[in-house]
C-alpha cells in the first residue's frame, strides 16, 4: 500500500509539477490577452464616436450593451462549465470574442449603430463566459502550488490593459482603419487562445459520472473518518482523483449565504475599480482644472498602483490570511478615496489615488480564491460572485453620472465609500474553508 505524500504547508515553495507550471504560464498569457483586447478597442472609442456622429450620451447608452451582455451570460457560465467543461466554454468564448470584434469594426465602418451595439453586447457576453473557467483554473493552480498566486493573474490583466491602450494609441496615431485593427485583434486573439486553452485547463474538465459518484461518497464519509472512507469495498484517499464539477450545483450556489456574502465583497471591488476606470480621469480634469493628458496620467497611476500590489502582495495573503488582508485593503482604499475627494491640490489627490489603487488591488483575487475553495463547486460559485460584479458594472456608470451632474465627478466618487465599508464588515466571509479536493483509490487492507 502506497503512502500519500503530505501536502506542503501553504506558502512553502517546493518542486513544481511541469504541467502546473505550464498551465500557470498559459493562464498568465490569457489574462494579459483579455486585458489587451479590451483596452485596445476602448482606446479607439473617440474614433468610433466620430465615425458614427454620436453624442456622449448616445455613446454611453451603447457601451452599456457590454455590461448587459456580461450580466445575461455570467449566470449561465457556471452551469456551462459544469456541463461542458472549461475547454469547451473557453472555445465558445473565443468564437464569440472573434465575432464581436469583427462586428465592432464593421459598425463604424459602415455607419451602423445596431451592428456596433451587437458587437459590444457579444464582447461582454464572451468576457463573462470565459471569465468563469479562467478564474476556476487560476484557483486550481494556486491550490497545486500551495501558495497565493491568484493576484498575479489579475496583474497580468492590468499589464495587458496598459499594453493594449498603447497599441490603440499607436493605431489611432497611424490612422489605422477601425475594421483593420479589430479584424487583426480578432484573428490574433483567436489563435492565441486556441493554442493556450488545452494546456491551461486542469480542473474544469467534462463531468465523469463514475468519479463524481466516488468523490461524493468520499465527501460524505470523510465527516466520520477523515482521510479514509470505505466505498464499495475499497478505501478512498482524498487526493489524486480529478475533481469533477457537478452541474446541479449551479443553482444551489445561489442559496449559499457564504457565496452571496463573497459576491457582495466582489461587488464592492467592482464598484471601486470600475468607478475609477470610468470616472477618475474626468474627476481629475474637472476637479483640478487639468488637461486630459494629466487625467489620463492619474488613471495610469491608479492602474500602476493596483498592478504593483497584485504582483508583490501575494506574500501578504500567505502570511496574514485573506481576512486581515481584505480588511486592511478596504481601510486603505477608503482612506485613499476620501483623500482624493477632499484634497485641496493635485499632489495630495495623487497620494489618495495611489492608496486607493493599493487597497483595491487584492479584493477581487481574494474573493475569487474564496469562492473556489471547493473545486467541485468552484465554477458555480465563481459564476454567482461574478454576477454581482456584472451588476455593479451595469448600475454604477449611470448612477454615478447622475450624482456627478449634481456634485461633480470627484465628490460623486465618494459615494462608493459605502461599498468599501461593507467589504470590511463582511471580510470574515472570505476565510479559508478547507475542502476535500480529490481522491485516490487503493485496495482495502484486510
Amino acid at each position: 500500500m502506497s503512502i500519500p505524500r503530505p501536502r506542503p504547508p501553504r506558502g512553502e515553495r517546493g518542486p513544481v509539477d511541469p504541467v502546473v507550471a505550464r498551465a500557470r504560464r498559459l493562464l498568465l498569457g490569457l489574462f494579459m490577452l483579455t486585458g489587451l483586447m479590451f483596452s485596445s478597442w476602448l482606446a479607439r472609442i473617440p474614433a468610433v464616436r466620430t465615425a458614427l456622429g454620436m453624442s456622449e450620451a448616445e455613446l454611453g447608452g451603447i457601451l452599456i450593451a457590454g455590461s448587459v451582455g456580461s450580466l445575461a451570460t455570467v449566470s449561465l457560465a457556471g452551469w456551462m462549465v459544469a456541463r461542458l467543461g472549461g475547454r469547451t466554454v473557453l472555445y465558445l468564448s473565443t468564437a464569440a470574442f472573434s465575432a464581436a470584434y469583427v462586428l465592432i469594426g464593421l459598425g463604424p465602418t459602415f455607419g451602423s449603430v445596431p451592428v456596433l451595439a451587437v458587437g459590444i453586447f457579444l464582447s461582454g457576453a464572451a468576457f463573462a463566459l470565459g471569465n468563469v473557467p479562467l478564474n476556476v483554473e487560476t484557483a486550481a493552480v494556486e491550490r497545486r502550488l500551495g501558495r497565493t498566486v491568484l493576484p498575479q493573474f489579475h496583474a497580468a490583466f492590468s499589464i495587458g490593459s496598459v499594453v493594449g491602450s498603447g497599441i490603440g494609441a499607436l493605431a489611432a496615431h497611424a490612422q489605422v482603419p477601425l475594421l483593420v485593427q479589430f479584424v487583426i485583434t480578432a484573428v490574433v486573439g483567436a489563435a492565441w487562445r486556441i493554442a493556450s486553452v488545452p494546456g491551461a485547463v486542469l480542473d474544469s474538465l467534462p463531468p465523469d459520472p463514475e468519479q463524481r459518484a466516488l468523490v461524493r461518497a468520499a465527501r460524505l464519509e470523510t465527516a466520520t473518518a477523515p482521510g479514509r472512507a470505505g466505498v464499495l469495498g475499497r478505501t478512498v484517499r482524498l487526493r489524486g482523483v480529478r475533481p469533477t464539477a457537478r452541474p446541479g450545483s449551479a443553482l444551489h450556489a445561489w442559496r449559499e449565504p457564504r457565496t452571496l456574502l463573497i459576491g457582495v465583497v466582489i461587488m464592492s471591488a467592482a464598484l471601486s475599480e470600475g468607478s475609477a476606470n470610468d470616472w477618475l480621469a474626468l474627476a481629475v480634469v474637472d476637479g483640478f482644472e487639468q488637461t486630459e493628458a494629466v487625467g489620463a496620467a492619474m488613471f495610469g497611476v491608479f492602474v500602476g498602483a493596483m498592478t504593483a500590489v497584485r504582483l508583490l502582495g501575494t506574500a501578504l495573503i500567505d502570511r496574514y490570511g485573506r481576512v486581515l488582508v481584505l480588511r486592511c485593503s478596504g481601510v486603505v482604499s477608503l482612506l485613499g478615496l476620501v483623500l482624493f475627494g477632499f484634497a485641496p491640490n493635485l499632489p495630495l489627490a495623487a497620494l489618495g489615488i495611489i492608496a486607493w489603487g493599493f487597497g483595491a488591488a487584492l479584493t477581487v483575487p481574494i474573493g475569487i480564491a474564496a469562492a473556489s475553495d471547493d473545486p467541485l463547486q468552484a465554477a458555480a460559485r465563481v459564476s454567482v460572485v461574478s454576477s454581482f460584479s456584472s451588476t455593479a458594472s451595469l448600475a454604477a456608470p449611470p448612477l454615478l453620472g447622475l450624482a456627478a451632474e449634481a456634485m461633480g465627478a470627484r465628490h460623486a466618487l465618494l459615494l462608493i465609500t459605502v461599498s468599501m465599508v461593507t467589504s470590511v464588515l463582511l471580510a470574515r466571509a472570505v476565510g479559508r474553508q478547507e475542502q476535500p479536493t480529490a481522491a485516490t483509490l487503493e485496495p482495502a487492507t484486510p
Side-chain angles (χ1 to χ4, degrees):
M1 182 177 70
S2 62
I3 303 298
R5 291 183 299 174
R7 182 176 179 177
R10 190 167 186 86
E12 287 190 10
R13 299 195 176 212
V16 178
D17 186 337
V19 174
V20 177
R22 179 169 180 260
R24 182 185 182 185
R25 291 193 300 270
L26 293 173
L27 286 165
L28 284 168
L30 288 171
F31 269 81
M32 186 173 71
L33 173 67
T34 303
L36 188 153
M37 292 178 71
F38 263 112
S39 59
S40 64
W41 106 257
L42 291 175
R44 300 300 307 272
I45 283 179
V48 171
R49 181 184 63 181
T50 300
L52 293 172
M54 304 173 70
S55 68
E56 282 77 2
E58 291 171 333
L59 179 62
I62 293 297
L63 292 177
I64 289 177
S67 297
V68 174
S70 178
L71 186 60
T73 308
V74 72
S75 298
L76 298 174
W79 178 86
M80 292 180 68
V81 170
R83 179 69 65 181
L84 304 175
R87 289 176 184 168
T88 299
V89 172
L90 284 170
Y91 288 138
L92 291 173
S93 172
T94 298
F97 257 130
S98 300
Y101 277 81
V102 171
L103 291 174
I104 289 172
L106 286 172
T109 302
F110 293 99
S112 174
V113 173
V115 170
L116 174 66
V118 172
I120 294 174
F121 175 90
L122 197 56
S123 71
F127 175 80
L129 193 61
N131 192 45
V132 171
L134 285 178
N135 278 303
V136 168
E137 292 304 325
T138 56
V141 167
E142 182 172 283
R143 282 193 300 272
R144 283 165 169 80
L145 291 176
R147 65 182 188 274
T148 300
V149 296
L150 205 150
Q152 295 172 357
F153 298 98
H154 293 262
F157 178 89
S158 299
I159 293 170
S161 297
V162 173
V163 173
S165 297
I167 292 173
L170 289 174
H173 179 72
Q175 297 184 335
V176 176
L178 293 170
L179 183 58
V180 172
Q181 178 185 337
F182 295 145
V183 168
I184 292 175
T185 300
V187 172
V188 172
W192 188 334
R193 278 180 156 233
I194 290 171
S196 300
V197 165
V201 174
L202 300 177
D203 261 22
S204 56
L205 300 173
D208 183 323
E210 181 179 355
Q211 286 190 353
R212 189 167 65 240
L214 288 171
V215 173
R216 184 186 300 114
R219 287 165 58 87
L220 291 174
E221 296 192 30
T222 334
T224 55
R228 301 174 66 87
V231 180
L232 300 179
R234 292 180 166 188
T235 297
V236 177
R237 290 189 186 280
L238 293 179
R239 297 198 189 279
V241 168
R242 166 174 66 82
T244 310
R246 293 177 292 178
S249 65
L251 292 178
H252 176 73
W254 281 99
R255 300 192 294 271
E256 297 173 344
R258 177 176 180 263
T259 300
L260 298 179
L261 292 177
I262 294 172
V264 174
V265 169
I266 285 188
M267 183 169 66
S268 74
L271 285 170
S272 179
E273 186 176 349
S275 298
N277 292 340
D278 293 334
W279 296 102
L280 179 55
L282 181 62
V284 170
V285 171
D286 291 349
F288 297 98
E289 298 182 352
Q290 298 292 322
T291 64
E292 290 186 15
V294 173
M298 289 297 100
F299 175 65
V301 167
F302 176 84
V303 174
M306 286 189 62
T307 303
V309 173
R310 284 175 171 173
L311 286 173
L312 304 175
T314 54
L316 295 174
I317 300 174
D318 284 332
R319 182 169 183 177
Y320 298 107
R322 294 174 187 164
V323 175
L324 181 58
V325 171
L326 181 59
R327 284 175 176 159
C328 292
S329 295
V331 171
V332 171
S333 256
L334 177 63
L335 294 176
L337 181 54
V338 170
L339 177 58
F340 171 72
F342 292 109
N345 53 58
L346 185 58
L348 278 178
L351 290 177
I353 290 171
I354 292 171
W356 182 6
F358 282 168
L362 296 177
T363 303
V364 170
I366 286 174
I368 294 296
S372 304
D373 276 341
D374 182 353
L376 294 181
Q377 305 248 15
R381 290 172 178 167
V382 169
S383 174
V384 170
V385 300
S386 297
S387 297
F388 282 80
S389 175
S390 298
T391 301
S393 300
L394 181 63
L399 293 178
L400 283 176
L402 291 174
E405 288 286 339
M407 63 181 72
R410 187 158 71 109
H411 293 148
L413 286 169
L414 292 170
L415 295 175
I416 64 175
T417 56
V418 176
S419 70
M420 295 174 177
V421 172
T422 302
S423 176
V424 173
L425 295 176
L426 298 180
R428 186 175 294 276
V430 303
R432 191 176 306 281
Q433 289 192 343
E434 295 295 339
Q435 298 285 347
T437 59
T440 37
L441 292 176
E442 294 180 353
T445 52

